[in-house]
Every structure is written in structure tokens, then in C-alpha cells.
Amino acid sequence: MGVCVRAVLRVLVLQAAWALGGGQLRYSVPEEAEGGTVVGRLAQDLGLEAGELEARRLRLAAKGRRASVEVSGASGALVVSSRLDREELCGKSAPCALRLEVLLERPLRVFHVELEVTDINDNAPLFPAARKNLSVAESLTLPGSRFPLEGASDADIGANAQLSYKLSPSEHFALERQKTEEDGESLFLVLSKALDREAMPVHRLLLTASDGGRPSLSGTMELVVSVLDVNDNAPEFNQSVYKVQLVENREAGTLVMRVEATDRDEGTNSDISYVLRSIFPVDRRDVFRVDRNSGEISLREQLDFEDVPLYRLQVDAEDRGNPPLSGHCKVVVEVLDVNDNAPEVWVTSLSVPVPEDAALGTVVALLSVSDRDSGANGRVRCAVWPAAPFGLVATFEGSYSLVLREALDRERVAEYEVEVRAEDGGAPPLRARRGLRVPVSDVNDNAPAFAQAVYTVLARENNAAGAELARLWARDPDEAGNGRVSYSLAEGVAGGASRSASSYVSVEAESGRLWALQPLDYEEVQVLQFEVRAVDAGEPALCGNATVQLFVVDENDNAPALLPPAGGGAGPWAGGASGSASAGPSASASLWAWAAWGWPAGQVVAKIRAVDADSGYNAWLRYELREPRGKGAFRVGLYSGEVSTARALEEADGPGQTLLIVVRDHGEPARSATATLSVSLGEGGEAALAAAAAGAGSSSSGLRPAAGAEGGGGGAAATATNVWLVVAICAVSSLFLLALVLYGAWRCAPRAAVLSGPGPATLVCASEVGSWSYSQRQSRSLCVADGAGKSDLMVFSPNFPPPAGGAAKETPQDPPALLDTVSGTFFSAASHLCVSRKLLLISWLCLSAAPLGAAVGPRRLRGASTWQLFDVIGKQA
């Protein structure tokens, strides 16, 4: 508990100290410190624990030049990495402070550290020259005369640069120091006693300069004083100190100023020449030059305020006396700043790429801006272009943060070219630009989307297993795994089948290709409807759906099948290929019928019935009779299947004929079935009796008895039959009248809606063409009867040839209202027409029943079916 309290107190104290210090840490280190010397406990002062150093990545940010300190990765301390030379870093400036930026990542923060490099006494005083020659006229130079000396310079500062001078013992000379506010400290050699050249022509003195460091360092200069004779007046300047201001960037050759000195002597002793003796800084001797005759000071090189803002020159005026005498003056040249340096922009830290869901205010980069100019020329304004979605926030002087101002969308802009523009306050202003490339990283924010909500695919039946039916594609604008889409099949329904859609088709996960798992059978399933799901690989995953409607296109893969006669009687089918009766559809069949000699052309003998499991043209049947050599006596209806006489039958045709009838559909290629019909020929009466006997043995034999058959019977039976015929005629006449009344009422009554609607495939009778077909789209209520007349209606559903491959495409939906109206009206009219004609036919047959008794007789009519009777009556009529 005590440890936690101390840690909390330490953090609070650190925060308070940080707030009072303006957000900066200050350390000091002596120059020339050895490498590895600990400057300060940086991590501890920032409040970081030992375990946080590696996770939060504490480091220094470089600003244009190599730093001589670094952060220790193990302890987080600020240590010396290379030699620190205060004179090289700051010159004579005091104090010498290095401003460092410390970056703390995760989260990103910046701290400013000020490192003061303290001076040590590592530089000895240095005179401009190791030897200085002076000339002093004897006797003419009075005691108290002063000769200026160039003082020593010390690169150190403070007490280490406080110099003291000592002159070697001499009875003629002494040393004097003088300080003024204008030109600082001056050093003079003072003549304390008149000189005697004959006693001593040359005086050698040693001038020693010592600094105030501990230990103290010193430098020496030898003074050689030559005692001259004659010339006793030295030149004198009209000013001891000249001051001039000069704008930087002046070209070489520019006149700085002109100095002037006078000499009271005459003749050659008054001819003066000017010499530039010294210049400070000492390494800038080649910047100025002076004309020996005129005293004009001009530039040899261009000035640079950012390099040296102030120059101090010493100009000597020497006469031509013997010995020559000289006068001295100082020239102070102040360099004025112009706006000749553009701002500089550094990127100290860049955190990219930026997630597209990054929060507003996220720091993207840290920038540092500086200008070497001073004053208004060095004040810099910064802006970012374009203004969105990033902006600049000033943190400290010369430091900015590039932050996020608006939400990002990688699908709209994947990368930004950001330009940081800096402008100083000069006239005219100078500008600098720094370009940043900020990529945007993707997040999974877009679900896969199909090009169509519903795909319509046509596929032919009997396709090979593994055949490609279609290719689905979903677009996901995300990238990498977020945009990688995989496809899967959702359970769907199969129209007309009990199995799910997944047992028929599958979808490839990578490509979206739709494959057939097994051959499709139109007779088993006509429509498959299912969903395909597209899922991306993002986290979390997003998905999209599309509905696929797969229509199976019919192929002619079923041959026509012959049906047994109505009623299922086995008698007419006897004698088939197998020699046994059959009641179901067959690819071939044998049957027989009876006919009478003398029947005229067009007399119906029998009717062939067949069915095809296909639809459309593939189920549209036609009947062909394979003619024997010569002209045959029979023919078959092309679409009705009715076998009738082609001419009048004769005894020469023999007792019987065998007909081979081929039933073909309209498919490509066409498929067929064959039926063998044996027709027995005889007299008219025998044929009728045979037909009646066959009808008595089977309620629906499918035989057509010969017309005009005669037979004998007893008188009592004929009388009873006539009575029943009269009763039947009356009853049927009443039914006929009732049918006429109902037909008139139907014609006058308004049309009723015909029941129609979608439903399964329905077998439709079409005796108009004598074939059977399956309705592909809708089921209708039609009148269907065994052995229907020629007036029955046949309906073919539209079945256009599908495209070669089952490619997915959009198919416009037919207007259902128009389709139902047209088809309903068509079927309604056909149905009523069928009923009306049936009633009229029945009534007419009943009224014609009287000749039946005379033609056939009661005995032959007993046991005959109704339709057989109507057939006989029709032939009589």
C-alpha cells in the first residue's frame, strides 16, 4: 500500500513540475564529456516505468543535424553518444542550449528537452600573432605614450574567458588595460621611461594572457620594440571607432566606408598608407580589403547575416617617416538581415498507413519548421493543402502536428498527396513546401454485391454432369482479404421434384461458376430456384445474396408411346409382338379391325392413339402409313391417327390387309413408334355382326364395325325393340330441346371468367390432329372424351428453341394480366364450343336411332356400347 501511495505522489509531483516548467525538461552536461555519460534520467522524469520503455518506444527526433546525445534503450536515460564541443556548437553564445525533441509512441506524444552544454576551460588564450614588432622613436616619444596591442582571444565563455595580462619586467614599458562601452576592452603598451637607442636599440618583452579557469591556461606573444630615431609624430584618425551598417548579400566590390588619418609631420613623414591589421572573427580576413592610398574599405566576398552578424576591423595608418609611425582606429560593421532564406520543413515522425475508420483528431505526422532569418523574416506561417481531410495544429514554436479532420473512405480515395506549405513574414515572402504521401489502409466496410438481384439461366436437359451452367460474380470494393469473395449455394426449391436444388447444382467457391452435379431431366424437374451467397474474407465477414432461376429446356429424349384402346380392352391388342395383352403405353403394338366390302372412300376403320412425354414440338405427333407396293386401300390422318378407306373396298382386296403405321414426333432428331393394324374384310352384314360381337365383349374396343350389317331376329324381339326405340327417341328429343335452350341462354348471358392459373404439366387431349401433348406453362379445364370427334381443340404451348448454352441472362417478365386474359378467353371459347357440338351430335344421333333398328336389328344391338352405336348411326347417315 505504501509503495502505491509513493508512486501516485511521484506522478503528481512530476505533473506539477512539468506544468510549471512549460512542458520542457532541462538538463546540463559539461562539454567534452565522455561517451556514455548519463545526462539525466529521461524515462523516470517522464513518468515511465521500466516495463513501458520497449512498448512505448522512447526515442529522440533528429532535426537536421546529428545529435551528440541519445536515449539508452535499456534504462531510458539520456546519455552522451559523441564528443560535445560547446565552442563548435554555440561559439561565444551563452548559455549554450540544445533543443531536442523526444518522441513517445503508442500513443504518439512529443516532449521538448533543453540540454545546456556547460563550458570547461579547454581553450587557452590565443594572440593574433606570436610576435609583434613595434617602433618607438627615441627622445621624441615622451613617457606616457601608449601603443595599442591586440589582445588575446579565448574561445571559452564566462570565467574561463576572463583574461588577465602580464608583461615581463621592464623599466621602460608597462601594460595598461582600458574598458569602454563602445569598443569593449583595449590593451596598451605604455612607455614609462624615455628610450635611449644607443643604450638599447631593441627591447624584447613577453606578454602573457591567462584565463580565469581552474586550472588556468595561458598564451604568450613576444613584443619586439625597435627604438627609432627622427619621426616623432604618428598619424591620427579623425575617429577612434567607426560604425557602419551594411545589408547582407551585397556583391563583392561594394564600398563599405572610407577612413581618414592625418599626420602633423611634413614631407615623407606625413605620407600615409592604410593597412588592415586585424579582423574579428579571425577566420574572416578575406571578407574586407582597404585601399592603401585612399583608405576605402570594400568587400571581397558577399556578406551573410546568418553566418556572421557583426565584424570588428582594425585599420592602421602608417607614415613614410624614418622610422615610420602609425595611428589606429576600429571599424564596426553591422550586417543587416534580408529575407534570403526560405523556411525549412522537416518531417520528424510519420505514422502511415492511416486506417479508413481512424477517429477524427488522429495524429498522422509531426513536423518541424524553421527559418534562418531573424525578426519578421524568420516568422513562419504553415498551412496544409488540400485543406481536407487533414489539418495542422501548432504544438510548440516551430512544431506542428498533422491531424485528421474528416472521415476517410479508402474506396473513394486510397492515397492522399498532402503538401505542407510554409511562408515567412518577409517582403517579399519566401515559401517552402514539403510533400507527404499518406496511404489509407482498408477495413471491411463493404459487403459483396451481385450485378443482378435475380439471374435467369437456361439449361438443356440431359446435360453432362460437371457442365458449366453459368458464372455469377459479386463485386466487393475492399482490398486484400476484405475484398476476396467466396461463393456458396443456399438451399432452394426444385419445381416438380422432391429433392433440394443442392442435389442438382453446385457453385465453385472461388470463381462463382455454377456447375451441374448430374444430368437434368425436364420430365423430372422444370425449374430450379435457389440462392447463391457471396461472403468476403473480412473480419467480421460481410455477405450478399442473389436468386438464381434455372429453367430446364426440353430435349427430344422420349419416343412416342402407343396407348391401348379406351377402356383397356385386351381383345384388339391380342397378337402383339409378345403375344400377350398389354394395357399401358408401348413403343410398338398390334391390333385389328373389321371392314366391309363396298365401303366408300373416307370411311373410318380404326384410330391409333399415342402419347409423347416431351413437350412442345417434341410432343407434336404425326402419323404415316407405310404404303405397300401399288395404291393401297387405306390411309391414315396425318395428325388425327384415324385409319380410313382411301377408296371403295372391293372383294379383290382380299379377306384382310395388314397396315404398318409409324408415329413420329417433331423433335430434332425425330423419334418414332410403329403400330401394326390387321383389317379383316367381309360382307356388310358379317362385318356389322362381328363389330357388334366385339363391342359386346369389350366396352371400349376401339374397333370400327362395318356399316350396313344385317342380321335376322324374331318378330317379338323386333317389336320390343321398337317400343324401346320410341321411348328413347322421345327422351332424346327432350334432351335436344333442353340443349338448344341452354345454348341460347349461354349466347345471351355475359361471359364468365375462365378458370386459369399456373399449375403442373397436364396431359391435354387434341383429337383435331390426333395427338397428345403436355402443356408446359398452364393447365386448363377442357372437355376430353374417349374417341372425341374431329371438332376437339388442340392447344400447343409456345416452345421456342433455347440458346445453345445455358448462359445466365436477364429475361423480361411477360405481363401476366394480358397473358391470362388471352389464354383464358381462348380456352373458354374452345370449351363451350366443344360442349355445344357434343350435345348437338348426341341429339342428332338419338333422332337417327330409328334406322338403326332396321339396319342392325335388336339382337345385334344388344350389348353394344353407346359410342359404337353412334358410330354405326354416323356411318348410316
Side-chain angles (χ1 to χ4, degrees):
M1 184 64 181
V3 176
C4 296
V5 171
R6 286 196 298 273
V8 172
L9 291 176
R10 183 170 63 86
V11 172
L12 293 177
V13 171
L14 177 62
Q15 290 181 349
W18 183 264
L20 292 176
Q24 289 187 345
L25 292 176
R26 291 181 174 85
Y27 300 100
S28 64
V29 61
E31 64 172 330
E32 306 295 340
E34 295 181 359
T37 301
V38 177
V39 178
R41 299 178 179 179
L42 182 60
Q44 182 177 354
D45 294 340
L46 292 178
L48 299 178
E49 299 294 337
E52 295 181 300
L53 294 179
E54 184 177 357
R56 302 195 63 179
R57 296 183 61 186
L58 182 67
R59 63 184 179 89
L60 286 179
K63 290 186 59 176
R65 60 183 180 183
R66 182 178 60 85
S68 298
V69 293
E70 63 183 17
V71 177
S72 174
S75 63
L78 189 65
V79 298
V80 176
S81 61
S82 61
R83 176 177 175 269
L84 286 171
D85 188 352
R86 191 204 62 79
E87 289 75 30
E88 179 183 352
L89 295 175
C90 302
K92 299 293 287 185
S93 298
C96 181
L98 299 181
R99 291 178 174 81
L100 307 175
E101 285 185 355
V102 178
L103 298 181
L104 188 62
E105 299 183 358
R106 302 175 184 172
L108 182 62
R109 293 188 61 187
V110 60
F111 302 93
H112 290 261
V113 177
E114 185 174 286
L115 178 61
E116 180 181 0
V117 181
T118 60
D119 185 52
I120 65 172
N121 192 22
D122 59 339
N123 291 280
L126 181 66
F127 286 94
R131 180 177 180 179
K132 184 175 178 63
N133 295 318
L134 297 174
S135 298
V136 180
E138 65 174 334
S139 71
L140 297 179
T141 305
L142 300 177
S145 299
R146 297 188 304 173
F147 304 94
L149 300 177
E150 292 177 328
S153 62
D154 195 326
D156 296 325
I157 62 173
N160 296 328
Q162 293 179 0
L163 302 180
S164 60
Y165 296 91
K166 182 179 179 182
L167 187 65
S168 59
S170 174
E171 60 178 344
H172 296 281
F173 296 95
L175 193 64
E176 179 181 347
R177 298 176 65 181
Q178 182 179 357
K179 290 185 179 181
T180 60
E181 294 181 358
E182 293 182 355
D183 58 347
E185 185 180 54
S186 299
L187 189 66
F188 298 94
L189 183 65
V190 181
L191 182 63
S192 58
K193 183 180 179 181
L195 299 177
D196 186 2
R197 187 190 67 82
E198 290 72 25
M200 187 179 291
V202 176
H203 296 263
R204 296 185 180 273
L205 306 175
L206 186 64
L207 180 61
T208 303
S210 301
D211 59 25
R214 293 184 180 181
S216 177
L217 300 179
S218 62
T220 60
M221 181 176 66
E222 183 183 12
L223 300 177
V224 179
V225 181
S226 299
V227 181
L228 302 178
D229 202 9
V230 192
N231 191 18
D232 57 350
N233 287 291
E236 295 181 358
F237 287 92
N238 54 5
Q239 289 180 231
S240 60
V241 178
Y242 292 87
K243 293 185 178 180
V244 65
Q245 291 182 337
L246 193 64
V247 177
E248 68 171 329
N249 295 335
R250 288 294 183 90
E251 297 179 354
T254 301
L255 178 63
V256 178
M257 67 172 302
R258 181 180 179 181
V259 294
E260 184 178 1
T262 61
D263 194 321
R264 290 178 295 173
D265 294 328
E266 293 181 354
T268 59
N269 292 332
S270 63
D271 293 338
I272 299 174
S273 61
Y274 300 91
V275 179
L276 185 61
R277 289 298 181 185
S278 63
I279 183 171
F280 180 84
V282 293
D283 57 345
R284 298 293 178 175
R285 288 184 175 272
D286 296 333
V287 176
F288 300 93
R289 67 182 179 88
V290 63
D291 188 274
R292 293 183 62 88
N293 298 320
S294 65
E296 292 180 348
I297 302 174
S298 59
L299 293 178
R300 285 183 175 180
E301 297 180 0
Q302 197 175 43
L303 299 180
D304 189 356
F305 172 84
E306 289 74 34
D307 191 7
V308 179
L310 185 69
Y311 292 88
R312 289 186 175 92
L313 312 178
Q314 179 179 325
V315 180
D316 289 352
E318 295 180 349
D319 58 25
R320 295 182 181 180
N322 188 16
L325 299 178
S326 63
H328 317 281
C329 73
K330 287 187 177 181
V331 179
V332 179
V333 180
E334 182 182 359
V335 183
L336 300 180
D337 182 49
V338 296
N339 192 25
D340 59 342
N341 291 280
E344 295 180 344
V345 181
W346 294 286
V347 180
T348 58
S349 179
L350 181 62
S351 180
V352 291
V354 181
E356 62 176 321
D357 60 348
L360 300 183
T362 300
V363 177
V364 178
L366 296 178
L367 307 170
S368 294
V369 181
S370 65
D371 194 317
R372 295 180 62 196
D373 295 322
S374 62
N377 297 331
R379 288 194 292 269
V380 182
R381 300 184 300 272
C382 287
V384 62
W385 186 90
F390 301 101
L392 282 179
V393 176
T395 54
F396 296 95
E397 183 179 358
S399 298
Y400 293 87
S401 297
L402 183 67
V403 299
L404 184 63
R405 294 294 193 191
E406 298 179 3
L408 301 177
D409 185 1
R410 191 204 63 83
E411 288 70 39
R412 185 173 60 88
V413 180
E415 187 177 77
Y416 289 90
E417 294 289 343
V418 181
E419 187 175 79
V420 178
R421 299 176 176 179
E423 179 181 278
D424 60 25
L430 299 180
R431 300 175 178 85
R433 298 180 180 183
R434 172 71 67 177
L436 299 177
R437 180 171 295 177
V438 182
V440 181
S441 61
D442 182 55
V443 297
N444 192 25
D445 57 347
N446 291 278
F450 286 92
Q452 302 172 211
V454 178
Y455 288 84
T456 301
V457 180
L458 300 179
R460 293 184 179 274
E461 67 170 330
N462 301 324
N463 59 308
E468 182 178 346
L469 303 178
R471 182 169 182 176
L472 310 180
W473 181 73
R475 178 180 179 271
D476 194 323
D478 294 324
E479 67 176 358
N482 296 331
R484 186 170 61 250
V485 179
S486 61
Y487 303 87
S488 61
L489 181 67
E491 289 297 329
V493 296
S498 58
R499 292 185 293 176
S500 62
S502 60
S503 62
Y504 293 95
V505 294
S506 68
V507 62
E508 192 174 78
E510 291 78 13
S511 64
R513 294 178 179 175
L514 190 65
W515 306 95
L517 294 177
Q518 62 181 12
L520 299 175
D521 188 359
Y522 175 82
E523 287 71 38
E524 178 185 354
V525 57
Q526 290 81 40
V527 180
L528 286 175
Q529 181 169 328
F530 51 89
E531 282 190 353
V532 174
R533 177 173 299 170
V535 182
D536 59 27
E539 190 65 36
L542 302 178
C543 66
N545 298 322
T547 301
V548 179
Q549 293 180 342
L550 176 63
F551 293 91
V552 183
V553 180
D554 182 48
E555 293 277 344
N556 190 26
D557 58 345
N558 292 281
L562 296 169
L563 293 177
W573 293 87
S578 61
S580 61
S582 175
S586 175
S588 61
S590 298
L591 58 113
W592 60 81
W594 292 269
W597 293 322
W599 275 11
Q603 185 68 41
V604 177
V605 175
K607 183 171 182 176
I608 308 301
R609 301 169 65 243
V611 68
D612 196 316
D614 295 322
S615 65
Y617 280 89
N618 296 330
W620 186 16
L621 303 181
R622 61 185 178 187
Y623 301 84
E624 299 175 358
L625 180 62
R626 292 189 179 178
E627 295 283 351
R629 293 183 178 180
K631 187 175 182 180
F634 298 94
R635 61 187 178 188
V636 63
L638 182 60
Y639 296 111
S640 65
E642 292 182 345
V643 180
S644 60
T645 56
R647 54 179 174 77
L649 299 179
E650 302 173 354
E651 293 184 9
D653 294 324
Q657 290 191 9
T658 300
L659 307 179
L660 184 61
I661 301 171
V662 180
V663 184
R664 300 180 187 275
D665 56 27
H666 283 72
E668 289 293 338
R671 295 179 178 268
S672 62
T674 58
T676 303
L677 176 64
S678 299
V679 182
S680 299
L681 302 178
E683 294 291 341
E686 295 177 358
L689 291 175
S698 175
S699 61
S700 180
S701 63
L703 303 177
R704 298 293 184 181
E710 298 180 356
T719 303
T721 300
N722 291 334
V723 173
W724 286 107
L725 286 176
V726 172
V727 174
I729 290 171
C730 293
V732 173
S733 298
S734 301
L735 292 175
F736 177 72
L737 294 177
L738 179 60
L740 291 178
V741 173
L742 293 176
Y743 180 76
W746 171 78
R747 296 288 293 178
C748 297
R751 294 287 188 267
V754 180
L755 179 63
S756 63
T762 305
L763 191 63
V764 180
C765 170
S767 58
E768 173 68 23
V769 294
S771 66
W772 297 75
S773 65
Y774 281 92
S775 173
Q776 187 177 358
R777 291 190 179 180
Q778 295 179 344
S779 60
R780 306 292 179 182
S781 176
L782 302 179
C783 63
V784 180
D786 294 334
K790 291 183 179 182
S791 60
D792 291 348
L793 178 67
M794 177 183 180
V795 178
F796 291 99
S797 60
N799 190 8
F800 298 99
K809 63 178 183 179
E810 294 188 18
T811 55
Q813 303 294 329
D814 296 333
L818 179 60
L819 180 62
D820 292 344
T821 303
V822 175
S823 59
T825 306
F826 180 73
F827 277 96
S828 176
S831 177
H832 285 290
L833 180 60
C834 180
V835 173
S836 301
R837 296 186 64 179
K838 292 288 186 180
L839 291 176
L840 292 176
L841 179 60
I842 293 172
S843 302
W844 178 82
L845 291 176
C846 292
L847 292 176
S848 303
L852 179 63
V856 181
R859 182 176 61 82
R860 296 182 181 179
L861 293 176
R862 186 178 301 113
S865 65
T866 304
W867 290 105
Q868 289 174 339
L869 293 178
F870 287 162
D871 195 9
V872 174
I873 294 174
K875 290 181 173 60
Q876 292 296 325

